[in-house]
Amino acid sequence: MFYNYILNFSIKEAPSFPGAPSHSLTSIYTFLNCPSCFLATFRLLTSPGDFKLFEAKIDDITLKTAFNTLYYTGVRCGELLALSPEDIDVKSNTISISKTYHRHDQNDVITSPKTVGSTRLITIPPFLTDCLKNYIGMNYGIGPKDRLFQITRYKLSIGLKEACASSGIKPIRIHDIRHSHVSLLIDMGFSPYLIAERIGDSVDMVNNIYGHLYPNKHNKVANKLQELVSK
């Protein structure tokens, strides 16, 4: 699954990586043989402070709500754009992910999510629940099954590019917001298992792609053993 992920991602994104060879197969070969090199191509929002600088430059309420949801949940872009009001449970502070959005031949297409593991329930902080609740309330006439964010990936990309430029944040891609969420959770000390459940990926995927971001705890183990014999 890990290598399928890299293969699919590389075919789509490799030519856009800074300094990447123009021939995508060369890039794919590099990523398959060096997973840490693959992560090195990600352009992360390195801290919540970076995200706040970025968010402050967004005036459009739809884009602002969408980017907050992406950053604080780690959902994929297609999962975000497929959300409907009935997926948001304001009482339990959860978002249900059960579908994904595509744009095909100028038509909106909603399908099942990427994998079986992608179907999940994400617990969100109360401030994000309030943000989504207020946004739903502002969209008068929206039905429970209607798309909550009635925009396309292209509009998200344009908004992202403009906000990065005006905030001074180095340019990132939409999917990099998902990677930024994972990086944030790792920095907060959460386990690969919990992160995998939250983002709808496997534990192997989290370990292979993000494993080197986890702090080295071998010294901590040695210190604990030393404490045992020093008592």
Side-chain angles (χ1 to χ4, degrees):
M1 182 178 177
F2 166 61
Y3 291 111
N4 286 338
Y5 175 87
I6 292 184
L7 181 62
N8 292 333
F9 187 88
S10 299
I11 290 173
K12 180 179 178 183
E13 300 285 358
S16 68
F17 292 145
S22 58
H23 197 294
S24 61
L25 289 179
T26 302
S27 299
I28 293 168
Y29 178 83
T30 300
F31 298 144
L32 290 176
N33 285 276
C34 181
S36 61
C37 296
F38 180 65
L39 181 62
T41 63
F42 298 166
R43 310 165 195 170
L44 303 178
L45 291 166
T46 56
S47 71
D50 277 353
F51 179 76
K52 290 179 180 178
L53 286 174
F54 161 83
E55 181 204 16
K57 299 299 181 179
I58 303 172
D59 295 323
D60 185 285
I61 187 61
T62 297
L63 291 177
K64 186 181 285 286
T65 307
F67 284 124
N68 267 279
T69 305
L70 286 170
Y71 183 71
Y72 289 108
T73 66
V75 295
R76 301 175 179 92
C77 180
E79 294 170 342
L80 171 88
L81 297 178
L83 288 176
S84 52
E86 68 178 5
D87 295 322
I88 315 299
D89 190 327
V90 298
K91 292 183 179 179
S92 63
N93 293 317
T94 58
I95 295 178
S96 175
I97 303 296
S98 61
K99 51 192 182 294
T100 190
Y101 167 87
H102 306 276
R103 186 74 175 166
H104 183 68
D105 290 337
Q106 297 185 335
N107 293 311
D108 296 334
V109 180
I110 303 293
T111 63
S112 298
K114 187 176 180 181
T115 64
V116 174
S118 296
T119 300
R120 60 201 188 278
L121 196 66
I122 302 175
T123 302
I124 59 176
F127 78 83
L128 185 56
T129 300
D130 292 340
C131 177
L132 288 164
K133 182 179 178 181
N134 292 338
Y135 176 70
I136 293 171
M138 293 174 61
N139 283 270
Y140 179 76
I142 190 172
K145 295 184 181 297
D146 292 339
R147 284 181 58 223
L148 184 57
F149 300 105
Q150 297 187 16
I151 54 177
T152 62
R153 183 187 181 96
Y154 177 74
K155 183 170 182 179
L156 273 176
S157 296
I158 294 299
L160 181 62
K161 181 179 179 180
E162 292 176 348
C164 284
S166 58
S167 65
I169 300 296
K170 66 179 181 179
I172 62 172
R173 297 156 299 199
I174 295 174
H175 201 71
D176 290 325
I177 300 178
R178 176 175 167 86
H179 299 313
S180 298
H181 178 71
V182 174
S183 177
L184 176 64
L185 296 187
I186 290 174
D187 190 56
M188 294 172 70
F190 293 108
S191 71
Y193 181 80
L194 185 148
I195 293 173
E197 278 194 326
R198 185 171 181 84
I199 67 173
D201 260 326
S202 69
V203 175
D204 283 345
M205 176 71 69
V206 173
N207 283 330
N208 281 319
I209 296 292
Y210 306 100
H212 76 283
L213 293 180
Y214 279 92
N216 188 319
K217 295 187 177 180
H218 289 290
N219 286 337
K220 186 175 182 180
V221 171
N223 291 337
K224 288 293 183 182
L225 292 173
Q226 179 65 32
E227 289 176 10
L228 285 177
V229 300
S230 298
K231 291 180 179 180

